[in-house]
Amino acid sequence: MQETDLHDLSDDADYAASIQQGSASVMMTRSGSGKQSSSSEPEGAEIVYSKDNVAIHPTQFASENIAGRLKLIKQGNSLFMTWIPYKGQNSNARLSERDRNLYTIRAVPFSDVRSIRRHTPAFGWPYVIVVLSSGLAYPPLYFYNGGVKEFLATIKQHAFVVRSLEDANVFLVNDFQSPLQRTLSSLELPGAAASVPNGLSLALSSNESQSYGNLDRTGGAISDGTSSFSQNHGRQRHKSNDPARDLSIHVLEKFSLVTKFARDTTSQLFRENHGNGFGGLERKSYSHESVDIPRKASKDEEKIIDEHPVPPDPIEKLLDKKHDLGEEAATNVGTFELINFKEFDKKTLVWGKPRQPPLGYEEWATFLDFEGRVVDSNALKKRIFYGGVDHTLRKEVWPFLLGYHDYDSTYAEREYLKATKKLEYETVKRQWQSISSEQARRFTKFRERKGLIDKDVVRTDRSFSFFDGDDNPNVNMLRDILLTFSFYNFDLGYCQGMSDFLSPILYVMEDESESFWCFVALMERLGPNFNRDQNGMHSQLFALSKLVELLDSPLHNYFKQNDCLNYFFCFRWVLIQFKREFDYDKTMCLWEVLWTHYLSEHMHLYVCVAILKRYRHKIIGENMDFDTLLKFINELSGHIDLDPIIRDAEALCICAGEHGAASIPPGTPPSLPVENENGSLYVQEDEVL
Amino acid sequence: MASRRRMLLKVIILGDSGVGKTSLMNQYVNRKFSNQYKATIGADFLTKEVQFDDRLFTLQIWDTAGQERFQSLGVAFYRGADCCVLVYDVNVMKSFDSLNNWREEFLIQASPPDPENFPFVVLGNKIDVDGGNSRVVSEKKAKTWCASKGNIPYFETSAKDGFNVEAAFECIAKNALKNEPEEDPYLPETIDMTGGQQQRSSGCEC
Ligand SMILES: Nc1nc2c(ncn2[C@@H]2O[C@H](COP(=O)(O)OP(=O)(O)OP(=O)(O)O)[C@@H](O)[C@H]2O)c(=O)[nH]1
Ligand SMILES: [Mg+2]
């Protein structure tokens, strides 16, 4: 362990990171309040509490804090809360009218509030987090001038509020149906799930709050807080500094979703599978939670795993929560919606935006100007990302996505390109066509390359009608294109998997030359997948492992402990972008989504994470070793439901944000390869091919 | 559990792309041949329960991609193998020439404790093609090579019509078993692999 005192600041840094992306909370606020009455103060209302200088901190920059006035308003029997940011604040000149509207909390009735958590850090301002029964939470409200106590007292006077038995800082609102015994880990961070099974109170008390409090200051103030913090808590060195764990917090905070029932669901999960055993994985992953519970902390050192407890997916817990509530909640990544997830006979939430119908001709026309240029390529990519392309239109759209056509090319230019490229194709094709059998006999490399291609094209999608039967001309076309490509890019040559990529392209483009050039464009990005040294594959699998570490640290730890970190079980997924995992139609749909490079060039890696997360429970619960895992993944082929996976991937990508992007080394395919000094893109030492 | 692991016999099938590794494995395990198998990407395995002398074993047969470029991946699966099957296509000289490379690469990567005596089995596949007329590697040539490498058992097979596949894998399984450590407490000391009367192939030296 290279832990130092400084590392005790990790919480601060993470929290800073977590709130850096203010937009998430912003949107959350909007969507949460969107359901409410639009007027800021109901008619005939009485203001029972009003506090100035209550602020939210959308970013870690003090200059971007937004101060406003918090009010409690009583109307009839109902109590409402509003928070209106001040206009024209000097400190945040950047606060536009739009932002102001986004952040504003408009008259939330307390009937919609689930709980309020009070944080009174030793350093920094006290704040509260208000959680709605939908599971959404507003960003923390910081009370610059104090007043949290009165705030809560006032609420108590006008609404049904009880203090949680488990945590004195949590106040439950309207908790009628399940009295005080109800376990409530509301507002706990991911580790809530690790709360002690014997009912020991799990207080996320001053320590953690404190660290958050540090954030309230900038610059020197933080270092001040630091030293005090590490002095006070130096003995807690054992706590985890697992960056992945930290991201879990980040993820939760970012979505401002609160796991009210996290503990319930988790303990239930454990009851189902493992009696009441909380195994080592669980303890290890969430050891940070133990800071307040020395008795438990000492156990953290043990890493004995005698059972196969499944550490909860920080994100999945949110889903369970949603399940309990049985409702939809709009967030900035779209609408949450429940689906029935057969495998586990358990409802799981699908998130990310709902898929749209594919882009059709009429709509496509609206993207083009009168000469055929795509006016707003980003809008187009976004549209395709969320809905794909109608099959009849693919022929027209794929060349753009693949980079064969420029978005600002005109109809005329594309026609011209088609003609000239056809000639160019024919020229390259003639190069191998002109090799006589006499010549071929003395041209081992050619013979073997051709032999390999011949063998592969007859093993490519033969059950698909377009390629079935003997002497199918489309199979011959596959062969000709691949052979021509191996001359066009002699260094890269031919490698297995290429025919899998070409097959749908040919099916879509129908034309030999056009297919060839689309394939060439695709190989510009994915060629490194087929490099002799496999560096393209290794860098992607490495990035994948980093993303899993970031987005599901318990799963990452599981892979680590089971020697699965090479991620070879995802090799096929990555090499041919899931071509073998979905049926033909779905593959085409996924590909066009990936090829938009909307949100990320590496969406395919988030797709991997999404699939793994779907099955994490099974993988960990069944204690799969490397072999079993590989087999399991191979056999998932044909059983993965694509749409929810795309939505998950989208949400994960948004969650990961910059952390995700930073996990992926530059030049990782399909990022464009960096040319080396020789100007050769592919350094091939392949002796044969 | 420990006892279960001991029962597992791990077999790796190696050979150039297209020689019929996937087809052989499927023919043996599922008794069927399809010309719709795809080129193998990554690796996969099938398992089959086999019985010798009233004892059950699980044969875990690993099929990896044949293309040279994927070898850096394949090696990850070599470790712990109990027997290595080298396959070539009797109609393709190159695939026969490659056997030496495959064998050496395997020994380097898997680094078995006793490389000299590590069990290999060689299969010359696709003998059905064109009624044997397109054959370029003679049985004699293959057997000579096998003899030179420490009397590797040799079988001629057709994954397509199933010829000799069962016999070949029986020999493979027995060789794999022979490779299991002697001190295995779960194996009766008296296991005698040579005494099996069911042995159908003269090629199996085990
Ligand atoms: N006639 C005939 N064809 C065979 C036989 N075995 C395999 N094939 C065919 O040969 C081709 C290659 O077979 P595979 O089993 O896929 O070859 P492989 O060794 O697994 O190839 P890779 O996965 O690329 O390494 C396929 O088209 C099979 O149908 C055989 O015994 N006879
Ligand atoms: Mg194969």
Side-chain angles (χ1 to χ4, degrees):
Chain A
M1 301 279 265
Q2 351 126 296
E3 255 175 80
T4 67
D5 281 353
L6 263 182
H7 279 82
D8 279 341
L9 257 187
S10 58
D11 284 342
D12 303 53
D14 301 324
Y15 188 64
S18 75
I19 58 172
Q20 199 158 5
Q21 303 247 345
S23 59
S25 345
V26 172
M27 303 295 281
M28 206 63 65
T29 310
R30 180 177 59 175
S31 45
S33 60
K35 291 182 183 170
Q36 318 306 334
S37 139
S38 57
S39 68
S40 48
E41 282 170 32
E43 274 175 38
E46 180 198 351
I47 299 171
V48 292
Y49 173 90
S50 173
K51 196 78 202 173
D52 275 308
N53 280 317
V54 175
I56 63 166
H57 297 171
T59 71
Q60 84 270 40
F61 302 112
S63 65
E64 291 178 10
N65 296 348
I66 304 172
R69 180 178 295 156
L70 181 68
K71 283 188 214 170
L72 293 172
I73 297 155
K74 191 164 160 52
Q75 185 190 38
N77 280 331
S78 308
L79 185 69
F80 297 84
M81 181 181 87
T82 66
W83 178 78
I84 315 289
Y86 300 133
K87 275 191 181 142
Q89 301 176 50
N90 296 339
S91 59
N92 48 328
R94 270 186 274 170
L95 181 67
S96 65
E97 192 57 30
R98 200 184 102 255
D99 285 346
R100 239 179 63 88
N101 281 330
L102 285 177
Y103 287 105
T104 300
I105 300 173
R106 293 190 177 84
V108 194
F110 269 78
S111 55
D112 282 1
V113 174
R114 170 74 68 181
S115 65
I116 299 169
R117 175 165 201 127
R118 176 180 64 181
H119 294 259
T120 42
F123 303 96
W125 298 289
Y127 61 96
V128 300
I129 297 180
V130 177
V131 186
L132 299 178
S133 34
S134 63
L136 298 177
Y138 290 111
L141 293 163
Y142 294 88
F143 288 67
Y144 290 177
N145 293 347
V148 174
K149 215 173 182 173
E150 302 134 70
F151 174 68
L152 292 167
T154 312
I155 295 169
K156 264 187 202 163
Q157 280 171 26
H158 300 283
F160 182 77
V161 178
V162 292
R163 196 179 266 228
S164 164
L165 277 186
E166 295 227 325
D167 186 337
N169 283 312
V170 172
F171 297 84
L172 311 176
V173 184
N174 304 315
D175 192 30
F176 302 114
Q177 83 278 42
S178 53
L180 309 179
Q181 284 78 9
R182 178 155 199 149
T183 300
L184 185 88
S185 304
S186 127
L187 281 165
E188 292 294 3
L189 293 170
S195 51
V196 190
N198 63 16
L200 193 72
S201 163
L202 177 75
L204 186 68
S205 65
S206 55
N207 291 332
E208 203 137 357
S209 319
Q210 204 165 20
S211 58
Y212 287 11
N214 287 334
L215 284 166
D216 300 345
R217 301 161 182 190
T218 51
I222 278 190
S223 54
D224 262 33
T226 307
S227 55
S228 323
F229 187 83
S230 46
Q231 267 167 29
N232 292 346
H233 305 284
R235 64 183 166 79
Q236 289 153 3
R237 293 264 199 82
H238 62 270
K239 79 175 181 172
S240 158
N241 280 311
D242 183 349
R245 184 276 294 176
D246 299 334
L247 187 92
S248 300
I249 294 177
H250 167 67
V251 165
L252 286 181
E253 285 289 337
K254 200 159 168 181
F255 280 85
S256 292
L257 282 169
V258 175
T259 57
K260 179 176 181 301
F261 295 116
R263 186 177 151 186
D264 291 342
T265 17
T266 311
S267 29
Q268 190 192 334
L269 206 121
F270 276 78
R271 249 178 277 122
E272 278 168 17
N273 297 288
H274 322 286
N276 58 3
F278 272 67
L281 268 180
E282 177 76 3
R283 283 190 221 114
K284 188 161 168 263
S285 309
Y286 294 117
S287 58
H288 64 287
E289 276 299 325
S290 65
V291 289
D292 298 318
I293 308 163
R295 200 171 70 104
K296 184 162 172 286
S298 62
K299 284 192 196 160
D300 289 341
E301 307 303 328
E302 311 161 10
K303 290 175 188 173
I304 306 151
I305 302 160
D306 39 16
E307 288 179 286
H308 330 129
V310 182
D313 181 340
I315 294 164
E316 197 175 299
K317 283 189 292 176
L318 305 177
L319 312 185
D320 289 335
K321 150 96 171 131
K322 292 305 306 165
H323 173 209
D324 283 350
L325 294 172
E327 57 184 60
E328 286 203 340
T331 73
N332 66 318
V333 287
T335 304
F336 286 70
E337 155 188 301
L338 298 166
I339 59 145
N340 209 328
F341 193 44
K342 286 184 225 104
E343 271 83 357
F344 307 131
D345 191 29
K346 147 179 158 215
K347 288 205 170 175
T348 299
L349 191 78
V350 179
W351 49 335
K353 283 208 183 86
R355 305 289 300 157
Q356 292 168 15
L359 174 72
Y361 260 103
E362 272 176 36
E363 198 185 345
W364 164 240
T366 68
F367 282 98
L368 303 174
D369 71 8
F370 70 104
E371 285 184 301
R373 295 182 191 88
V374 175
V375 183
D376 184 349
S377 62
N378 277 333
L380 176 67
K381 289 175 187 173
K382 182 175 178 183
R383 175 64 183 86
I384 294 170
F385 182 86
Y386 287 111
V389 181
D390 191 82
H391 183 68
T392 52
L393 193 60
R394 287 194 166 121
K395 191 175 177 174
E396 222 159 308
V397 176
W398 277 24
F400 289 98
L401 294 177
L402 287 168
Y404 169 46
H405 285 158
D406 284 336
Y407 285 100
D408 56 4
S409 62
T410 62
Y411 292 124
E413 285 163 352
R414 295 198 287 270
E415 275 308 306
Y416 178 74
L417 186 75
K418 184 175 176 176
T420 54
K421 285 293 187 183
K422 187 166 175 60
L423 292 176
E424 196 180 335
Y425 173 73
E426 295 298 336
T427 307
V428 185
K429 186 177 175 182
R430 265 197 304 278
Q431 291 173 0
W432 62 262
Q433 278 183 321
S434 68
I435 295 173
S436 67
S437 51
E438 273 304 294
Q439 204 183 345
R441 259 206 291 152
R442 298 171 182 83
F443 195 171
T444 309
K445 216 165 200 170
F446 170 70
R447 267 198 335 270
E448 285 175 358
R449 193 172 277 192
K450 184 168 182 301
L452 195 52
I453 292 170
D454 280 338
K455 261 183 199 119
D456 278 3
V457 292
V458 297
R459 292 189 287 172
T460 305
D461 298 317
R462 292 309 288 282
S463 53
F464 183 59
S465 58
F466 189 75
F467 293 110
D468 70 2
D470 294 336
D471 285 327
N472 183 321
N474 295 323
V475 175
N476 295 337
M477 226 188 280
L478 267 186
R479 184 202 54 205
D480 288 0
I481 294 170
L482 289 170
L483 204 46
T484 307
F485 179 79
S486 85
F487 272 70
Y488 176 80
N489 187 340
F490 203 89
D491 288 348
L492 186 59
Y494 174 76
C495 180
Q496 288 183 319
M498 286 184 178
S499 68
D500 281 279
F501 273 126
L502 179 59
S503 153
I505 291 177
L506 180 59
Y507 173 65
V508 163
M509 299 306 296
E510 292 166 318
D511 178 89
E512 186 173 329
S513 160
E514 292 285 280
S515 302
F516 173 82
W517 291 110
C518 283
F519 181 72
V520 166
L522 181 66
M523 285 303 113
E524 282 295 307
R525 288 181 171 275
L526 292 178
N529 281 14
F530 303 107
N531 273 359
R532 165 75 179 139
D533 61 7
Q534 291 286 293
N535 60 349
M537 287 304 298
H538 287 299
S539 63
Q540 286 171 90
L541 294 176
F542 174 78
L544 174 57
S545 76
K546 289 286 145 198
L547 288 180
V548 172
E549 186 174 4
L550 195 68
L551 291 161
D552 193 340
S553 60
L555 185 62
H556 170 80
N557 290 335
Y558 179 82
F559 286 154
K560 194 171 174 181
Q561 281 157 3
N562 288 274
D563 281 329
C564 296
L565 279 188
N566 58 24
Y567 280 81
F568 282 169
F569 48 88
C570 295
F571 187 85
R572 192 173 73 194
W573 291 1
V574 173
L575 186 84
I576 48 175
Q577 300 209 321
F578 308 96
K579 168 72 172 4
R580 303 267 181 104
E581 318 312 318
F582 299 100
D583 67 25
Y584 216 74
D585 273 350
K586 288 289 178 191
T587 302
M588 292 191 286
C589 184
L590 173 61
W591 282 4
E592 59 209 9
V593 167
L594 298 179
W595 295 345
T596 60
H597 296 152
Y598 181 72
L599 292 184
S600 169
E601 276 185 331
H602 301 97
M603 188 54 68
H604 67 300
L605 298 179
Y606 291 99
V607 171
C608 294
V609 180
I611 302 174
L612 291 173
K613 275 174 99 70
R614 284 259 153 179
Y615 295 97
R616 70 191 298 286
H617 187 256
K618 198 170 165 61
I619 293 168
I620 303 174
E622 295 181 9
N623 201 23
M624 293 187 187
D625 60 7
F626 180 83
D627 294 359
T628 316
L629 180 60
L630 179 99
K631 186 96 189 135
F632 172 71
I633 299 275
N634 282 345
E635 287 178 355
L636 275 184
S637 171
H639 301 286
I640 305 170
D641 191 2
L642 180 61
D643 283 5
I645 289 296
I646 294 181
R647 294 173 64 176
D648 284 4
E650 176 204 352
L652 288 168
C653 179
I654 291 171
C655 271
E658 288 164 23
H659 297 263
S663 305
I664 303 169
T668 300
S671 295
L672 286 169
V674 190
E675 278 198 44
N676 64 26
E677 298 122 53
N678 312 324
S680 157
L681 286 171
Y682 308 96
V683 183
Q684 295 291 305
E685 289 138 40
D686 196 318
E687 295 231 313
V688 180
L689 300 163
Chain B
M1 293 306 290
S3 62
R4 261 203 99 197
R5 267 220 85 72
R6 271 175 235 280
M7 295 301 187
L8 192 77
L9 300 175
K10 182 171 176 178
V11 172
I12 312 280
I13 311 183
L14 301 178
D16 281 5
S17 175
V19 295
K21 299 179 295 296
T22 303
S23 303
L24 281 163
M25 180 177 79
N26 277 284
Q27 177 61 257
Y28 173 60
V29 175
N30 302 318
R31 289 179 207 285
K32 61 180 190 205
F33 174 80
S34 155
N35 41 23
Q36 288 182 350
Y37 294 131
K38 299 174 176 207
T40 305
I41 286 181
D44 201 0
F45 64 85
L46 291 179
T47 54
K48 182 163 171 141
E49 299 292 323
V50 291
Q51 190 180 355
F52 297 118
D53 303 334
D54 296 333
R55 294 195 53 77
L56 271 179
F57 300 91
T58 301
L59 206 57
Q60 187 191 50
I61 306 164
W62 282 82
D63 176 30
T64 57
Q67 186 160 13
E68 207 182 332
R69 274 177 226 195
F70 293 134
Q71 261 189 62
S72 71
L73 172 84
V75 298
F77 306 103
Y78 293 1
R79 222 157 273 277
D82 296 304
C83 179
C84 177
V85 184
L86 302 173
V87 185
Y88 76 98
D89 178 345
V90 297
N91 310 287
V92 180
M93 185 56 78
K94 163 75 173 35
S95 70
F96 177 74
D97 293 339
S98 299
L99 290 185
N100 211 32
N101 282 335
W102 284 112
R103 181 177 170 276
E104 277 170 13
E105 184 72 9
F106 175 85
L107 287 175
I108 292 166
Q109 299 295 344
S111 50
D114 183 9
E116 295 297 302
N117 295 309
F118 186 86
F120 288 91
V121 174
V122 170
L123 310 184
N125 191 40
K126 302 199 192 182
I127 57 162
D128 63 285
V129 173
D130 201 11
N133 289 324
S134 59
R135 182 170 185 144
V136 293
V137 184
S138 69
E139 188 171 356
K140 183 159 173 270
K141 181 170 179 160
K143 280 188 165 166
T144 308
W145 184 81
C146 288
S148 76
K149 298 292 169 189
N151 283 324
I152 300 178
Y154 175 69
F155 291 83
E156 304 224 317
T157 57
S158 164
K160 188 175 180 177
D161 56 30
F163 176 79
N164 228 6
V165 173
E166 184 76 31
F169 274 92
E170 195 173 306
C171 173
I172 291 161
K174 287 179 178 180
N175 272 286
L177 187 55
K178 199 166 64 178
N179 187 54
E180 281 290 288
E182 288 291 315
E183 63 270 27
D184 186 342
Y186 290 91
L187 291 180
E189 280 176 42
T190 51
I191 263 195
D192 176 9
M193 299 316 310
T194 56
Q197 284 88 20
Q198 282 148 304
Q199 201 167 308
R200 265 174 270 162
S201 166
S202 55
C204 189
E205 315 280 326
C206 52

